[in-house]
Amino acid sequence: MQLGMVGLGRMGSGMTKRLEEHGHEIKTYDPNVPSTAKTLGTLAKQLETPRHVWMMVPAGKVTEDTFQKLLGILEPGDTIVDGGNSNFRDSQRRYKEARKRKISFADVGVSGGIWGLEVGFCLMAGGDKAPLKRLRPILEALAPEDGWAHVGPSGAGHFTKMVHNGIEYGLMQAYAEGFELMYHSEFELDLSEIAGIWRYGSVVRSWLLELLHAAMEQHGDHLDDIAPYVEDSGEGRWTINEAINANVPVPAISAALFARFASRREIDFSAKVQAALRNQFGGHAVKAVKAAKARP
Amino acid sequence: MQLGMVGLGRMGSGMTKRLEEHGHEIKTYDPNVPSTAKTLGTLAKQLETPRHVWMMVPAGKVTEDTFQKLLGILEPGDTIVDGGNSNFRDSQRRYKEARKRKISFADVGVSGGIWGLEVGFCLMAGGDKAPLKRLRPILEALAPEDGWAHVGPSGAGHFTKMVHNGIEYGLMQAYAEGFELMYHSEFELDLSEIAGIWRYGSVVRSWLLELLHAAMEQHGDHLDDIAPYVEDSGEGRWTINEAINANVPVPAISAALFARFASRREIDFSAKVQAALRNQFGGHAVKAVKAAKARP
């Protein structure tokens, strides 16, 4: 079928390629990459009605701007899909805004990263049945067999993807802690070899473990050229926010997010506070900083 | 080759079967299961020298008793393998005790559970090169391709298996927290379906996720007939103890172990303390317990 793809970054370009390999006709728009259309308006003209336009752009302002532009360009009966990592509350609001103009809106969480082109993307779709039924050939082409589902009404797709990513934070932290413990062990373990054998027959085998092994093969098992600095893209924060809203304890996922924050600190002020207090009440020695640094 | 297998529980029986399928000659001893030998002494007589005896018995007293008996029965040049989940410090001590009698001792962490018979067991071997070289045909038969390694000297095998299990605690807790959050979501999600699609193409795909999906297929996606009570077998505790010895922070693995402890409490005394304090300083209402319970 025909689909408009907005955004040809790492994800959007892989998805476009995979869809074309499955025989779909993809019209594309990305201001920074050669595309079939030079504007969103042209993209709309290249698509037969009812149109289906898939946004694969960064969550936040770019998604909102693209969505608002599409709302002004598309017509009743058309469908907008947000495949990015948007907050599910924003998706619920966008669904309502679109519905006022008789435009359908689906929130489809997409997992798989740069590997999805080859193995397929896991898709978690939220929204009304009718547009998702029309999009079924697209979803089936993008996903591996049994790798997608219509998980619920508007917002459910991005909610499920948010939890998926929260779990991912916890899984990554669990491996990270175990490998740090082995890094400091008395045995001079070959961490790459251990990650390697764990891929076969062990209880901790997973795709993330395969990626860690690949990283150690590439960078050496002590990852010497990779700085100990971890960014986050928001989904871990939202998972914890939603856990707070739902009164659900998520200590491991919280630990994982906070470990990322800790990795970025220029100054560990909490450690300064603890050292100062130990000095005050017990006279424990503190390590002196040579020149006082200004607060960042 | 010939091998003596001591212990024919879930693991030992599966390993024996897999070894026999690979053409090895296994003599067995288990007091509770039909075996080739009725005593450890008979088992030793059934094996040609140098003997190789693999203990696959519960860690702790049973392992220690079996090890001490074997030390008295076996002869210089023989080898004892501990494939159980022993603490690596005990394995280091047993290695030294065995060496005094010129008996070799190898600590081999075995992962894979009841599925190992089919897909093979991941093996992490610690100890001297000579006995492990002799045991190579056994290790190759037990493990999947590329699924075993001689990771280091005595203790390294069980140390690596300990960290493996510590990571397993963290992975399980991460999934558990995510699924609890979805369980309480506004979307009435089909958790079994979500676990199902995540197995294909998603970043969180893993063997544990496959097992969770299988459990939900078997017990329903709300796991109604499974009590929220989680035991532990010690490896999580040891991981945290070793992290403390090595000054390595393991917050997610700690959270996972403590969540298991919390699941077993008959009375959450910490919650009583918090409620009492909120009542004292802020006059916040407390929920009354109808009849006071004795301390457990």
Side-chain angles (χ1 to χ4, degrees):
Chain A
M1 67 182 276
Q2 248 195 358
L3 182 78
M5 179 68 73
V6 179
L8 295 173
R10 280 170 304 185
M11 295 293 285
S13 62
M15 292 163 71
T16 298
K17 199 167 175 190
R18 189 170 166 95
L19 287 168
E20 287 174 340
E21 285 171 2
H22 280 73
H24 295 294
E25 185 190 349
I26 314 301
K27 304 296 183 186
T28 58
Y29 169 70
D30 187 318
N32 307 311
V33 178
S35 313
T36 70
K38 291 204 168 172
T39 66
L40 283 176
T42 317
L43 183 74
K45 282 177 197 156
Q46 291 178 347
L47 296 167
E48 290 156 27
T49 57
R51 301 175 186 87
H52 297 86
V53 179
W54 191 299
M55 298 194 296
M56 209 64 212
V57 298
K61 183 169 165 29
V62 184
T63 292
E64 183 63 21
D65 290 351
T66 306
F67 171 74
Q68 294 298 343
K69 279 183 200 161
L70 284 171
L71 270 196
I73 291 165
L74 298 179
E75 296 171 294
D78 292 348
T79 298
I80 301 170
V81 178
D82 180 7
N85 279 333
S86 294
N87 187 295
F88 75 100
R89 302 273 178 218
D90 287 330
S91 300
Q92 289 176 317
R93 189 247 311 154
R94 287 176 189 135
Y95 168 87
K96 285 178 194 158
E97 281 190 50
R99 196 168 55 179
K100 281 183 197 158
R101 306 195 186 201
K102 298 197 192 322
I103 292 172
S104 294
F105 180 86
D107 51 294
V108 180
V110 180
S111 180
I114 52 176
W115 290 79
L117 168 58
E118 191 180 326
V119 299
F121 301 88
C122 181
L123 305 176
M124 299 143 250
D128 292 339
K129 282 182 183 173
L132 287 168
K133 196 175 170 187
R134 288 195 301 274
L135 283 161
R136 197 178 171 113
I138 297 293
L139 301 172
E140 285 180 346
L142 285 173
E145 201 178 338
D146 297 326
W148 74 276
H150 181 187
V151 295
S154 176
H158 281 154
F159 176 85
T160 304
K161 178 58 168 30
M162 174 197 81
V163 176
H164 167 284
N165 283 30
I167 290 172
E168 184 183 317
Y169 277 57
L171 302 179
M172 288 171 65
Q173 179 68 17
Y175 286 117
E177 292 176 9
F179 277 85
E180 178 163 4
L181 188 50
M182 291 193 288
Y183 176 85
H184 288 290
S185 95
E186 68 198 63
F187 295 111
E188 298 186 24
L189 299 169
D190 181 335
L191 302 186
S192 177
E193 180 181 58
I194 290 168
I197 65 168
W198 282 357
R199 292 175 302 167
Y200 305 109
S202 92
V203 171
V204 301
R205 63 190 187 265
S206 71
W207 191 58
L208 283 167
L209 181 68
E210 290 173 27
L211 298 185
L212 179 58
H213 178 253
M216 287 181 167
E217 289 288 290
Q218 196 177 331
H219 298 276
D221 73 335
H222 288 183
L223 303 172
D224 287 323
D225 61 341
I226 295 184
Y229 179 99
V230 197
E231 279 289 358
D232 76 287
S233 310
E235 303 249 341
R237 298 166 188 246
W238 300 339
T239 301
I240 293 166
N241 288 343
E242 288 307 315
I244 291 168
N245 290 341
N247 295 294
V248 172
V250 289
I253 295 173
S254 301
L257 180 67
F258 295 163
R260 293 191 185 194
F261 294 168
S263 80
R264 292 180 221 155
R265 285 186 290 202
E266 288 190 20
I267 293 173
D268 180 349
F269 190 71
S270 74
K272 287 167 83 90
V273 169
Q274 296 226 50
L277 286 172
R278 289 185 83 244
N279 176 254
Q280 288 290 329
F281 69 66
H284 301 287
V286 297
K287 288 194 176 188
V289 175
K290 280 185 184 167
K293 285 187 185 175
R295 203 164 48 168
Chain B
M1 66 181 276
Q2 249 195 358
L3 182 79
M5 179 68 74
V6 179
L8 295 173
R10 280 170 304 187
M11 296 294 284
S13 61
M15 291 163 71
T16 298
K17 200 168 175 188
R18 189 171 166 93
L19 287 168
E20 287 174 340
E21 285 171 1
H22 282 72
H24 296 293
E25 185 191 348
I26 315 300
K27 304 296 182 186
T28 57
Y29 170 70
D30 187 318
N32 307 311
V33 178
S35 312
T36 69
K38 290 205 170 171
T39 65
L40 283 176
T42 316
L43 183 75
K45 283 178 195 155
Q46 290 178 348
L47 296 167
E48 290 156 24
T49 56
R51 300 176 187 88
H52 298 86
V53 179
W54 190 300
M55 299 193 296
M56 210 63 213
V57 299
K61 183 170 166 23
V62 185
T63 291
E64 184 62 22
D65 290 351
T66 307
F67 171 73
Q68 294 298 343
K69 279 184 199 161
L70 284 172
L71 271 197
I73 289 166
L74 297 179
E75 296 171 293
D78 292 348
T79 299
I80 301 171
V81 179
D82 180 7
N85 279 333
S86 294
N87 187 295
F88 76 100
R89 301 272 179 220
D90 288 329
S91 300
Q92 289 175 316
R93 190 246 311 152
R94 287 178 189 133
Y95 167 86
K96 284 178 194 157
E97 282 191 49
R99 197 169 54 178
K100 282 183 196 158
R101 306 196 186 203
K102 299 198 191 321
I103 292 172
S104 294
F105 181 86
D107 50 295
V108 180
V110 180
S111 180
I114 52 175
W115 289 79
L117 169 59
E118 192 181 325
V119 299
F121 301 87
C122 180
L123 305 177
M124 299 142 249
D128 292 340
K129 282 182 184 172
L132 287 168
K133 195 175 172 188
R134 288 196 301 273
L135 283 160
R136 197 179 170 114
I138 296 292
L139 301 172
E140 286 180 346
L142 284 173
E145 201 179 338
D146 297 326
W148 75 276
H150 181 188
V151 295
S154 177
H158 281 153
F159 177 84
T160 304
K161 178 60 168 31
M162 175 197 80
V163 175
H164 167 284
N165 282 31
I167 291 172
E168 185 184 317
Y169 277 58
L171 302 179
M172 289 171 65
Q173 180 68 17
Y175 286 117
E177 292 176 9
F179 277 85
E180 178 164 3
L181 188 51
M182 290 193 289
Y183 176 85
H184 287 292
S185 94
E186 67 198 64
F187 294 112
E188 298 186 24
L189 299 168
D190 182 334
L191 302 186
S192 176
E193 180 181 59
I194 289 168
I197 64 169
W198 282 357
R199 292 175 302 167
Y200 306 108
S202 93
V203 172
V204 301
R205 63 189 186 266
S206 71
W207 191 58
L208 283 167
L209 181 69
E210 291 173 27
L211 297 184
L212 179 59
H213 177 253
M216 287 181 167
E217 290 287 289
Q218 196 177 331
H219 298 276
D221 73 336
H222 288 182
L223 303 172
D224 287 323
D225 61 341
I226 294 183
Y229 179 98
V230 197
E231 280 289 359
D232 75 289
S233 310
E235 304 248 343
R237 297 166 190 246
W238 300 339
T239 302
I240 294 165
N241 288 343
E242 288 307 316
I244 291 168
N245 291 340
N247 295 296
V248 172
V250 288
I253 295 174
S254 301
L257 180 67
F258 295 163
R260 293 192 185 193
F261 293 169
S263 79
R264 293 180 220 154
R265 286 186 291 204
E266 287 189 23
I267 293 172
D268 179 349
F269 190 71
S270 74
K272 287 167 81 90
V273 170
Q274 297 225 49
L277 286 173
R278 290 185 83 245
N279 176 254
Q280 288 290 331
F281 69 65
H284 301 287
V286 295
K287 288 195 179 187
V289 176
K290 279 185 185 167
K293 284 186 186 175
R295 202 166 49 167

